[in-house]
Amino acid sequence: GAVVSQHPSWVICKSGTSVKIECRSLDFQATTMFWYRQFPKQSLMLMATSNEGSKATYEQGVEKDKFLINHASLTLSTLTVTSAHPEDSSFYICSASPLRTENYSYEQYFGPGTRLTVT
Amino acid sequence: AQTVTQSQPEMSVQDAETVTLSCTYDTSENNYYLFWYKQPPSRQMILVIRQEAYKQQNATENRFSVNFQKAAKSFSLKISDSQLGDTAMYFCAFMKPTGTASKLTFGTGTRLQVTL
């Protein structure tokens, strides 16, 4: 159980175009989803936290108009990179936090990541 | 703000041997969670082990165990009987529990190579 998928797994787009990445919790409902960015050989940097039905909360230094996040349902969050440029090339990872239950463990379940290359 | 420090960028261990990865953190919180995540070459993040700060007993998951020293703010990971499949990046992470939106703060990672 607790599987998170991301689509696409990799994408190449031209500079100036927009690209959408989907994050889905397949077998559980997620109140909160998180979006991370990871550069080669570096750690995960949190970009934003999204809650179902409300606006995302962005970390300091992350451009909310460039990285649009929508959390339309308890199983789907999307990250849209608008007007992408080569410096946006990176590995984007989402994670999902399940609905709180009596034995809530605070574990986040991670998707497999999406490699974005902007040419 | 919390910080997590992993002072060993790379480590190597021979198959079947034991290795310990270090992690220290800085926080003023008393209640928190600590995690070790593994990221193999596939880049899928996998939870290795979790420790709740209010529990004195060190967490154990099969070949993986931690040495949690709350006063020293240290949280090391011991891997026993290392296997080739343990080759991966290992990230230590801190979480202050604030509900379902609790954020993870990751360390810089330790690249572990298991050799024959």
Side-chain angles (χ1 to χ4, degrees):
Chain A
V3 178
V4 176
S5 70
Q6 279 185 243
H7 179 80
S9 56
W10 61 272
V11 57
I12 302 173
C13 70
K14 292 187 176 181
S15 186
T17 62
S18 296
V19 61
K20 181 185 287 187
I21 302 169
E22 292 186 348
C23 176
R24 292 182 185 272
S25 56
L26 299 185
D27 50 3
F28 66 98
Q29 292 183 316
T31 305
T32 306
M33 289 185 173
F34 303 84
W35 286 95
Y36 298 86
R37 184 172 181 177
Q38 185 180 33
F39 290 107
K41 297 185 179 181
Q42 293 190 22
S43 188
L44 282 71
M45 297 298 296
L46 180 65
M47 299 175 65
T49 303
S50 76
N51 290 292
E52 184 264 340
S54 62
K55 289 185 178 180
T57 302
Y58 291 82
E59 295 299 300
Q60 192 172 8
V62 177
E63 299 176 60
K64 60 181 180 182
D65 294 330
K66 181 166 191 60
F67 299 100
L68 300 179
I69 292 171
N70 182 270
H71 194 156
S73 76
L74 287 174
T75 59
L76 173 65
S77 177
T78 60
L79 167 68
T80 301
V81 183
T82 62
S83 186
H85 288 92
E87 57 266 29
D88 299 323
S89 298
S90 191
F91 193 68
Y92 293 88
I93 304 174
C94 73
S95 70
S97 181
L99 295 179
R100 187 159 186 169
T101 60
E102 185 176 336
N103 297 315
Y104 191 68
S105 67
Y106 292 97
E107 181 174 351
Q108 290 182 19
Y109 300 98
F110 285 82
T114 296
R115 182 179 303 281
L116 170 64
T117 301
V118 184
T119 61
Chain B
Q2 289 79 21
T3 58
V4 179
T5 302
Q6 293 179 250
S7 59
Q8 305 153 314
E10 295 184 1
M11 292 195 72
S12 181
V13 63
Q14 284 196 317
D15 177 56
E17 297 295 307
T18 296
V19 64
T20 299
L21 308 183
S22 301
C23 173
T24 58
Y25 58 94
D26 187 24
T27 185
S28 58
E29 302 292 334
N30 191 48
N31 181 32
Y32 50 87
Y33 287 73
L34 296 164
F35 302 84
W36 278 98
Y37 280 90
K38 168 185 177 181
Q39 188 180 40
S42 68
R43 304 192 77 170
Q44 171 72 59
M45 293 288 284
I46 301 166
L47 176 65
V48 175
I49 202 164
R50 170 181 51 237
Q51 176 79 42
E52 297 159 56
Y54 65 87
K55 289 188 176 180
Q56 291 188 330
Q57 187 173 6
N58 289 323
T60 299
E61 287 288 342
N62 301 313
R63 298 182 295 108
F64 299 88
S65 62
V66 298
N67 183 3
F68 173 50
Q69 301 290 328
K70 191 172 183 179
K73 297 180 182 176
S74 171
F75 183 60
S76 61
L77 174 70
K78 185 172 82 171
I79 306 174
S80 304
D81 186 25
S82 297
Q83 301 173 0
L84 292 178
D86 295 332
T87 293
M89 279 290 289
Y90 286 81
F91 293 101
C92 178
F94 174 100
M95 176 190 282
K96 172 187 172 183
T98 57
T100 57
S102 302
K103 301 178 186 180
L104 285 166
T105 300
F106 286 95
T108 50
T110 296
R111 183 173 301 280
L112 177 67
Q113 180 72 47
V114 181
T115 60
L116 290 174

